[in-house]
Amino acid sequence: MKYQNLLTTFENGILTIEVNRPKALNALNKDTFSDLKQLFEKDAHQIEGLKGIIITGAGEKSFVAGADISEFSSLDTKDAMALSKRGQDIFKLIERFPKVVIAAVNGYALGGGCELALACHLRIAGAKAKFGTPEVTLGIVPGYGATQRLIQLIGKGKAFELMMTADMIGAEEAVQLGLANHVVAQGEEVTKAKELIEKIAKKAPVAISKIIELVDDYFDKTKDGFQKEVEAFGYLAETEDFKEGASAFMEKRKANFQGK
Ligand code: CAA
């Protein structure tokens, strides 16, 4: 897999992606979005034995410090809407990806970087992680989903406060608010993310993919989440994973899931 601004490694079934523009604190420019699109729309679906994906930032300082502000200067309304929609669509690919995707937040996660982390299923914060949505400082609003996803994770009051003040919060506060799942020592984010992926990979893969869909469906105003749950429950009943999981329980052994 060749990308302009992403470094990837695949080891023991885990794909680790580093957003690699450290001189710009890994800000997301057009090329980086193209890379993410190619990866989450096509490439990652073709990896055999994929257990999960970790997204982190290159360098010591930053996960992703936002959208690349240098690309903003000549935007008119039409361009800005297209930019926002494209970013949202690409982050949606991450949110709906059928294997667990974890943000290993190793520094600044601001604006579009915070939104990238929000689109992942789980977030691990290193001790020096900083989360924030500083868009109002620039005279804009978040454009890659934070106005919607931040409320889902931390509630309306705190989401208002973060988006209106543009304050940054640290790792401990992010965990207290529910924005991050765990805080770990700086530099241990990817290790912790791998540990979680290994744990999740022992569970039935088709059921995990349905959990991802169903939780996302809850927030889709056009869908009836309870009905979606009934359908997923029915679908899973006829999978080999379910037969294996139930047999393993009855036979008092560990299940050996095939993801079918
Ligand atoms: N876009 C482009 N370049 C960026 C950037 C960004 N979002 N964030 C940092 N950089 C660049 C800086 O311009 C600087 O480049 P030069 O060395 O060429 O001058 C380099 O990265 C290092 O940054 P600083 O010197 O500013 O580093 P610092 O340690 O003093 O400050 C920081 C770090 C607090 C993160 C500061 O860089 C900052 O405030 N960055 C912008 C954060 C931001 O506003 N993000 C939101 C963007 S808007 C958005 O994301 C909209 C959306 O939802 C669609």
Side-chain angles (χ1 to χ4, degrees), residues 217-237:
D217 285 349
Y218 171 81
F219 297 103
D220 184 334
K221 296 178 183 79
T222 67
K223 288 182 182 154
D224 176 348
F226 282 103
Q227 178 56 26
K228 287 279 169 193
E229 186 181 87
V230 167
E231 289 165 16
F233 196 81
Y235 174 83
L236 290 166

Side-chain angles (χ1 to χ4, degrees), residues 66-80:
D68 191 319
I69 302 168
S70 69
E71 292 182 346
F72 281 15
S73 57
S74 58
L75 291 182
D76 60 16
T77 295
K78 192 166 157 258
D79 296 339

Side-chain angles (χ1 to χ4, degrees), residues 126-143:
K128 291 189 185 159
K130 294 267 183 230
F131 296 84
T133 46
E135 284 86 348
V136 291
T137 310
L138 299 168
I140 49 175
V141 294

Side-chain angles (χ1 to χ4, degrees), residues 173-220:
E173 192 176 352
V175 170
Q176 277 163 21
L177 291 176
L179 206 171
N181 295 75
H182 298 276
V183 57
V184 294
Q186 191 63 21
E188 293 296 314
E189 310 83 27
V190 169
T191 307
K192 178 71 183 176
K194 284 185 176 168
E195 205 180 290
L196 277 167
I197 291 177
E198 291 294 355
K199 191 174 198 177
I200 293 165
K202 292 195 174 67
K203 308 299 177 194
V206 190
I208 296 292
S209 72
K210 287 290 174 192
I211 294 284
I212 290 168
E213 273 178 33
L214 290 168
V215 170
D216 189 47
D217 285 349
Y218 171 81
F219 297 103
D220 184 334

